[in-house]
Amino acid sequence: MSSLWPVSGDAEGILALLRDWDAAQDPRPLVIETSGSTGQPKRVLLSRDALRASALATQERLGGPGRWVLNLPPAYVAGVQVLYRSVVAGTEPVLHSGSFADDVPGVEGRLYVSLVGTQLRRLIEQPRELQALAAFDAVLVGGGPVQEWVRQRAEANGVPVVATYGMSETCGGCVYDGVALAGAEFKIGDDGQVLLRGPMLFDGYQGEPERTAAAFRDGWLITNDLGHLAWDGSLRVDARSDDVIISGGVKVPPQAVERMVGDHFALDLAVVGVPDDEWGERVAVVVGVDGDYDGWLTLERIRECIEPRSWAPRQLVIVPGGLPELVNGKPDRVAIKKLAADA
């Protein structure tokens, strides 16, 4: 049985409910349960006005309405947005069969898909899927930073990658390739945090008024992400504020370390902090490997990639079979930290 309170069920059921909800005179906000990628799941209230503002702004940025391929769990915000954007555009979503090479042929008009970084990384290793992705007008990639080597390989093969930034509280991505969607705004607070506002902001956390109030600062949503503005004014997200590793008194942003390693090695990796008696926390790089692994990667090779050297990892953990993931395909950072601590 599908529902919007909270959103649950299969894609067909949720799509039918979204159509009725969109046509209703004054519908109550739907409820999105977050993935708990930081260990703190929430129930986020999203109004029709907020979701519609987000869908229309996305449509405007991408060049017009089109068909969306659903390749994400339909109950999380990214999957809900694929379905709701289809409702707003008046198009029928394509429910992914497991192969883009099979889904794309015969689909007319503009074509869009939303992925997480892990999915794109796997797809670029499959020639038929990579060729099929090149037929899309935009391939949105969210749920965390896109590794630069993954993006470069995809774009070199004609895949139009768009890196998105947002969260359930902003109806999904509201900043595309560092530039805010129409109506959205961002700024960097005095504490280095990314702050967001705009018509796509959520109504609050269900049944948690104190948590809701704490999420805002003078009308701006506190993202708990640290970032900075690039030379052209675009947004660059550096790390989660609660993910920053303090090792020997030095603050180490894990996403920055991940980017440096990714610039040298095409790896499925995460950088986390692990409790350490000497350093307070030690920086650990956790690498997922598929198939046979012959030990070619060493901690010293990784350390040579990092500047400043005070950010360099002090531990390397190899995980056969790949890094643990949440249901929505995002890395499970809680499980990854436990792997590093146990190692």
Side-chain angles (χ1 to χ4, degrees), residues 2-4 7-22 30 32 51-52 55 59 66-96 112-114:
S2 297
S3 171
L4 298 183
V7 178
S8 58
D10 59 26
E12 293 91 342
I14 294 171
L15 178 62
L17 291 174
L18 285 172
R19 285 174 172 150
D20 292 341
W21 182 75
D22 185 64
L30 55 76
I32 296 284
L51 271 171
R52 180 169 278 274
Q59 184 173 289
R67 297 282 300 275
W68 285 86
V69 176
L70 177 66
N71 192 40
L72 295 166
Y76 290 112
V77 70
V80 169
Q81 274 288 35
V82 166
L83 297 175
Y84 189 67
R85 289 168 188 150
S86 302
V87 172
V88 171
T91 59
E92 191 70 24
V94 178
L95 304 185
H96 189 47
Y112 307 123
V113 68
S114 184

Side-chain angles (χ1 to χ4, degrees), residues 69 94-107:
V69 176
V94 178
L95 304 185
H96 189 47
S97 68
S99 169
F100 287 107
D102 295 335
D103 291 338
V104 174
V107 178

Side-chain angles (χ1 to χ4, degrees), residues 146-234:
V146 185
Q147 290 178 285
E148 190 59 30
W149 71 269
V150 173
R151 179 168 191 159
Q152 289 177 357
R153 186 177 299 179
E155 291 180 337
N157 285 275
V159 180
V161 176
V162 178
T164 71
Y165 170 71
M167 53 214 66
S168 297
E169 290 87 342
T170 61
C171 294
C174 63
V175 178
Y176 286 10
D177 284 332
V179 180
L181 295 181
E185 298 177 81
F186 58 74
K187 71 176 183 178
I188 306 299
D190 293 339
D191 56 358
Q193 288 209 48
V194 179
L195 305 177
L196 300 171
R197 72 178 178 186
M200 57 282 293
L201 287 190
F202 73 134
D203 283 2
Y205 299 114
Q206 187 179 40
E208 298 187 86
E210 293 182 358
R211 194 178 196 178
T212 299
F216 289 91
R217 180 188 303 167
D218 298 327
W220 291 81
L221 175 67
I222 304 169
T223 65
N224 294 317
D225 289 320
L226 300 176
H228 67 278
L229 301 183
W231 64 270
D232 59 356
S234 60

